[in-house]
Amino acid sequence: APPAGTHGTSSIPLAPAPDALVWDVSNFSLVDGHLVLMGRDEEASCRSRNRTGSSISESTNLHPAGSRRDPDLTADERSSRGAGRSTESETPPTSQFSNVKGLLWKRLWERKGRGVPKAEMPVVTVPDGESRNGSWESLLPPPSVAELDLTGDNVIVRPVHGSIVGEKFCFQIITGEGSRSFGCTSLAERDRWIENLRRTVQPNKDNCERLELALSLWVYEARDLPPRRRLRCHLHLDGTLFARTTAKVAGPDGELFWGELFQLAALPPARALTLALCRDDNPGQPVASITVPLAELAAARQPLERWYPLSGPGGGERVPSVRVRGRYREVRVLPIVRYKELAEFITFHYRELCARLEPTIAVRHKEELAGALVRVLQSTGKAKSFLIDLGVAELDRFDDREALIFRENTLATKAIDE
């Protein structure tokens, strides 16, 4: 089935438009299945490359749900605390979360007309330091911006490649009403938000069988291009743009080198990958393109590298081509209870397992095995012991050849890299 029909969002794009609006996730909190905007200023909650500022770099306490606290205190929060508790750091984290949660619901009730009457006008401080009267309803953004319901059907949470929105660590939430992109300050923060949001959308996720789709693609170079043209390579899945390279100028000989790696995870079901060369000043009209069936990239156990000839609208004497190396993976994930015995075996017998497999498997398999072992043992709390034991075994094996320690393609070296 096409991706849109699979997810039930036929009118909602699966990927954000280039240079789409990105919201600062530090201004949001996850409360009872709703993603709620804590800041009152809608413009201040939007991220831009020139406005990443101190509010993102400041260290803030994390909620139990994994969201970030808003560093600014409201007038209600200050008035609800005693004279000796003026700073946020003096309040225990649990009470901080309770106070913020209660304040959020108070705001929502007031906006919906179930709280205090609208005639009651609280005093609020505006950015220039002056005070004025105004209702909560006039200060809060519209409901579609201030609150996002994650309890409905067909809610999708997925990472977004930075080349689309212009920021590095972003994710996207797709609902029946539309899609919205959020920016984080680090990869770890983004992954934590995605995991927490997915568990909110599907609390029983670990007990359900699912299919995870991922594409790894290296876009190396192109040749026989129009000289001195500033070009990008766009990556489309079933017609939807998911990533693009940086814009570079082709040389006088028509050669262009990118050397960029794209790791696209949590993809919707798709059939074909389209590589399109586009001018930076006119991205809507591809110079040349090629469509590659994803089944071709999924059939090979190792990444497939090829030169692909591109077909253009004009058709000149030289046919442009692009060199890429890619792998498409369809991983069927079973309910977590099915992995219990395997996890126990790896946790208690990884020494014997690595000793037996080390001399018998190829280097490319060692890298994949070491990565899988590190992830499994990280989840069971044994990754540190695993790395120490492999390191000690490496020292014993190369006792008289110190120059080779951690310099060969061993499981220990690959696990440390992972």
Side-chain angles (χ1 to χ4, degrees):
T6 302
H7 294 286
T9 54
S10 56
S11 61
I12 306 301
L14 290 173
D19 304 323
L21 188 66
V22 179
W23 294 86
D24 186 354
V25 77
S26 64
N27 290 327
F28 287 79
S29 271
L30 188 59
V31 182
D32 292 346
H34 293 72
L35 195 62
V36 184
L37 178 63
M38 297 176 62
R40 298 175 184 168
D41 188 358
E42 179 180 350
E43 295 182 358
S45 300
C46 299
R47 290 171 64 95
S48 67
R49 303 195 67 83
N50 298 326
R51 233 189 319 176
T52 53
S54 59
S55 63
I56 297 176
S57 60
E58 289 177 358
S59 59
T60 53
N61 293 323
L62 296 181
H63 291 179
S67 57
R68 295 171 62 92
R69 273 195 52 81
D70 192 344
D72 299 327
L73 297 178
T74 63
D76 282 359
E77 286 178 299
R78 285 193 291 268
S79 61
S80 63
R81 301 177 181 181
R85 312 180 81 181
S86 58
T87 59
E88 183 180 350
S89 60
E90 297 174 2
T91 309
T94 54
S95 62
Q96 288 178 14
F97 181 67
S98 301
N99 292 342
V100 172
K101 182 177 178 180
L103 178 63
L104 290 174
W105 284 118
K106 180 182 177 183
R107 291 183 186 176
L108 294 176
W109 274 59
E110 289 173 348
R111 190 182 70 236
K112 295 175 182 178
R114 294 194 294 266
V116 296
K118 291 184 180 180
E120 189 174 340
M121 309 288 282
V123 179
V124 239
T125 303
V126 292
D128 58 3
E130 300 176 356
S131 296
R132 63 177 176 85
N133 291 332
S135 65
W136 288 115
E137 192 169 355
S138 63
L139 291 171
L140 284 173
S144 60
V145 176
E147 180 183 356
L148 189 62
D149 187 5
L150 304 177
T151 58
D153 297 332
N154 299 322
V155 178
I156 303 171
V157 182
R158 54 177 296 272
V160 176
H161 197 269
S163 62
I164 299 297
V165 294
E167 301 238 0
K168 276 189 177 181
F169 313 111
C170 297
F171 64 90
Q172 181 188 19
I173 299 178
I174 305 175
T175 63
E177 299 177 354
S179 65
R180 196 181 307 172
S181 300
F182 298 86
C184 303
T185 58
S186 66
L187 180 62
E189 184 187 19
R190 188 198 71 176
D191 291 345
R192 183 172 62 248
W193 267 99
I194 290 178
E195 180 64 20
N196 291 333
L197 291 170
R198 285 177 177 171
R199 292 192 180 278
T200 300
V201 173
Q202 190 180 9
N204 201 32
K205 180 173 73 77
D206 288 339
N207 298 322
C208 301
E209 184 176 330
R210 63 187 186 275
L211 188 66
E212 293 189 354
L213 308 176
L215 174 66
S216 300
L217 193 72
W218 290 259
V219 181
Y220 289 126
E221 58 182 327
R223 63 189 179 191
D224 297 330
L225 299 176
R228 297 181 177 86
R229 290 285 182 86
R230 191 174 178 86
L231 302 172
R232 294 178 184 263
C233 184
H234 289 203
L235 279 60
H236 298 261
L237 292 176
D238 284 358
T240 302
L241 178 64
F242 274 81
R244 56 184 179 176
T245 64
T246 55
K248 292 188 177 181
V249 179
D253 53 357
E255 294 186 357
L256 180 57
F257 181 81
W258 286 290
E260 298 184 23
L261 170 63
F262 298 90
Q263 299 277 11
L264 305 179
L267 294 174
R271 294 191 181 95
L273 165 69
T274 300
L275 304 172
L277 289 179
C278 302
R279 293 175 54 179
D280 193 32
D281 55 353
N282 186 19
Q285 185 65 35
V287 175
S289 64
I290 180 66
T291 298
V292 182
L294 289 175
E296 179 181 326
L297 300 179
R301 291 191 57 85
Q302 298 300 319
L304 180 64
E305 182 174 342
R306 281 186 54 187
W307 279 97
Y308 289 97
L310 305 176
S311 59
E317 298 179 358
R318 299 185 303 175
V319 178
S321 57
V322 61
R323 182 167 70 97
V324 298
R325 180 170 180 254
R327 183 184 183 187
Y328 183 70
R329 287 183 291 178
E330 299 179 350
V331 181
R332 179 167 159 260
V333 183
L334 302 176
I336 194 170
V337 68
R338 302 279 295 273
Y339 298 102
K340 181 180 178 181
E341 293 184 7
L342 176 62
E344 290 179 352
F345 175 80
I346 293 176
T347 301
F348 295 106
H349 302 284
Y350 59 78
R351 297 181 187 86
E352 298 88 337
L353 181 65
C354 293
R356 295 290 184 91
L357 294 178
E358 181 81 60
T360 59
I361 60 178
V363 173
R364 63 179 183 272
H365 297 148
K366 288 181 182 180
E367 183 173 358
E368 193 169 357
L369 174 64
L373 290 175
V374 167
R375 295 188 191 98
V376 171
L377 294 171
Q378 178 73 15
S379 66
T380 61
K382 286 288 186 178
K384 181 178 179 180
S385 301
F386 171 66
L387 293 177
I388 291 175
D389 290 337
L390 285 189
V392 171
E394 188 92 346
L395 294 175
D396 294 338
R397 186 162 56 251
F398 297 110
D399 190 21
D400 54 343
R401 295 175 294 164
E402 295 183 355
L404 296 178
I405 295 176
F406 301 125
R407 295 181 64 87
E408 288 194 340
N409 292 318
T410 61
L411 283 173
T413 306
K414 300 299 183 182
I416 292 173
D417 289 342
E418 181 67 24

